[in-house]
Amino acid sequence: MEHVDRCVVLVDAGYLLGAAASLLAGEPARSRITVDHAGLIQQLRQRAEAETALPLLRIYWFDGAPDRVPQPEHRRLRVMPRVTVRLGALTRSDGRWAQKGVDAAMHTELTELARNRACSDIVLVTGDGDLLPGLMSAKEHGVAVHLWAVQAADGDYNQSEDLVAEADERRVLDRAWITRAVRARDLSGLCAPPPAPRPEIAAILSAPLPEAALAASAERAAEAAAGGPAARAAAPAHDGTGPAHDRDGAHPDGTGVPVPAAKGVPTPKDLAGLRAPGSAPAPALAPQGTSALRWSSDRGWVERPVSTVGEPPETASLPTLATLTSAEQRWADREEDITTVGGDPFEVGQVFARRWMERLPEQGHVQKLSTLYPRIPHRIDGELLRYAARFGLLAHKDDQIDEHDRYAIRAGFWREIDVRAAAEPAPAPGAGPATP
């Protein structure tokens, strides 16, 4: 049986992106670069078809991921035409990340493609000498093997000499080619302006510790009973410089985790100007004896009179996305999640909020939600975090979503609520709630 006249590209993502990071940023850490994956795939396809003079069958993208759970970049890649993602494990040892199973998967794919005569030419983007037996086996089955290297940084050699010697053709992806889709991150902070602050995250990070809030409340109550200074003025519960918690109560991602104080986190006075979507500016400090919400969850700490029990009625009346979604919409949501949602934490929060707002029976619920800012009601917050867990956003050691990802998810939720609430026409005086 003759080989089919078409080409296949096998990409070792660890090699390609690590070598690109070394070339552009001086070290192999992929966190030092940003990648336009769609552009990079298009470049690989065009070059493979040009150099082999054959149509492309498929690009195989081999990479590592914690517990083999697809990360946002893998989700974007696997829905691209003619791209198949194969994941090995990503493990951490002695402070360094290492891929496990990627070489074996590439070797298997290489030999199977050749044995089954699925193509006549194979392009290998790798530098690992462990693939030498697979390369030799492919040649014995009559396949032409093209080996591509990334231009080495500072004259270093980043490819196995045995692979180079055995390959039928060899090409180097130079700096000009790499930089069409890969850029070095500017981590110096000296030339780039600081990122714009996100009030959604700042408001959550400024929450006080429960112990500090309890102690402050007890002190004010004691001084009020004795006619002390606290009876005349409320003292701030937190100055914004100490640690803060993100308490989730019974959320699926666990209880609150201490968060180190972030440089530049505003104090309560700084947060006085922050506005909940669709609401009037809030005072810096709540009057004594009133409810001053400090957490993003219904079960978090709330300064309220002891006699106040139960959930607020406005929270209980807010519907969850599940109750607003029909079977047809659920299928369409899943299709969108698989094909278009990349899985960035901020993006996930935006998608969830968009669906929730679009399906509300009345827009008055948005105004109720806005009064709770920066808190998200417990039922909706838990549903939001469970939705985010589908996108590989779990910290795999303890099946919890990383604390910073949680902040970004909720920030995306509030940003989308704010943008869409601002786009809604204001109801006329005396008019009832708007309906979609």
Side-chain angles (χ1 to χ4, degrees), residues 273-282 369-374 414 418:
L274 294 183
R275 179 181 62 82
S279 65
L369 178 67
S370 297
T371 62
L372 304 177
Y373 176 86
W414 279 117
D418 197 15

Side-chain angles (χ1 to χ4, degrees), residues 4-190:
V4 177
D5 290 334
R6 54 194 179 188
C7 66
V8 171
V9 181
L10 306 184
V11 180
D12 179 351
Y15 166 76
L16 173 59
L17 300 182
S22 294
L23 177 65
L24 303 181
E27 59 181 87
R30 286 160 64 170
S31 60
R32 298 293 304 273
I33 57 175
T34 59
V35 183
D36 173 10
H37 289 91
L40 182 58
I41 291 296
Q42 185 63 21
Q43 286 179 226
L44 288 168
R45 177 172 186 167
Q46 290 176 348
R47 181 153 184 167
E49 291 181 335
E51 293 198 2
T52 64
L54 296 171
L56 176 78
L57 170 62
R58 190 174 298 117
I59 295 175
Y60 289 89
W61 185 273
F62 296 86
D63 203 1
D67 295 340
R68 291 183 168 87
V69 175
Q71 301 300 295
E73 66 183 84
H74 304 137
R75 294 182 60 87
R76 288 191 291 271
L77 284 163
R78 69 184 185 181
V79 298
M80 294 179 187
R82 304 277 180 165
V83 177
T84 295
V85 176
R86 296 279 188 261
L87 294 180
L90 191 63
T91 59
R92 191 174 181 85
S93 177
D94 297 329
R96 300 184 64 182
W97 289 100
Q99 295 181 158
K100 300 293 184 183
V102 172
D103 295 340
M106 288 191 71
H107 178 276
T108 300
E109 201 70 57
L110 177 61
T111 55
E112 287 297 310
L113 287 168
R115 183 180 296 115
N116 293 324
R117 301 179 181 272
C119 57
S120 58
D121 291 65
I122 292 179
V123 175
L124 276 178
V125 186
T126 186
D128 197 334
D130 290 344
L131 284 175
L132 180 62
L135 186 153
M136 297 174 66
S137 175
K139 291 175 61 179
E140 290 172 359
H141 284 87
V143 173
V145 180
H146 306 251
L147 184 65
W148 290 0
V150 175
Q151 178 181 337
D154 300 326
D156 292 337
Y157 209 74
N158 60 13
Q159 208 167 33
S160 164
E161 294 185 19
D162 291 334
L163 282 181
V164 174
E166 282 291 335
D168 295 303
E169 302 281 349
R170 183 174 182 264
R171 297 288 184 271
V172 175
L173 307 176
D174 60 17
R175 180 187 294 269
W177 190 92
I178 292 291
T179 53
R180 287 165 57 189
V182 183
R183 296 284 188 274
R185 291 184 188 272
D186 183 3
L187 301 180
S188 65
L190 299 177

Side-chain angles (χ1 to χ4, degrees), residues 332-409:
D333 289 348
R334 195 62 175 165
E335 181 75 8
E336 182 184 16
D337 291 343
I338 293 172
T339 58
T340 63
V341 180
D344 173 78
F346 194 81
E347 176 194 14
V348 167
Q350 288 181 301
V351 171
F352 184 94
R354 169 175 57 80
R355 293 173 182 170
W356 186 77
M357 287 193 69
E358 288 176 348
R359 295 166 193 175
L360 286 173
E362 59 179 58
Q363 291 303 309
H365 288 305
V366 177
Q367 300 304 320
K368 290 180 181 180
L369 178 67
S370 297
T371 62
L372 304 177
Y373 176 86
R375 182 185 71 175
I376 301 175
H378 176 67
R379 291 174 300 108
I380 298 176
D381 195 30
E383 187 182 36
L384 169 61
L385 295 176
R386 287 192 296 273
Y387 171 67
R390 300 179 187 175
F391 295 92
L393 294 176
L394 296 178
H396 302 279
K397 288 185 178 180
D398 50 9
D399 289 332
Q400 296 182 4
I401 295 179
D402 177 80
E403 56 190 316
H404 297 97
D405 284 346
R406 291 202 302 271
Y407 298 144
I409 292 164

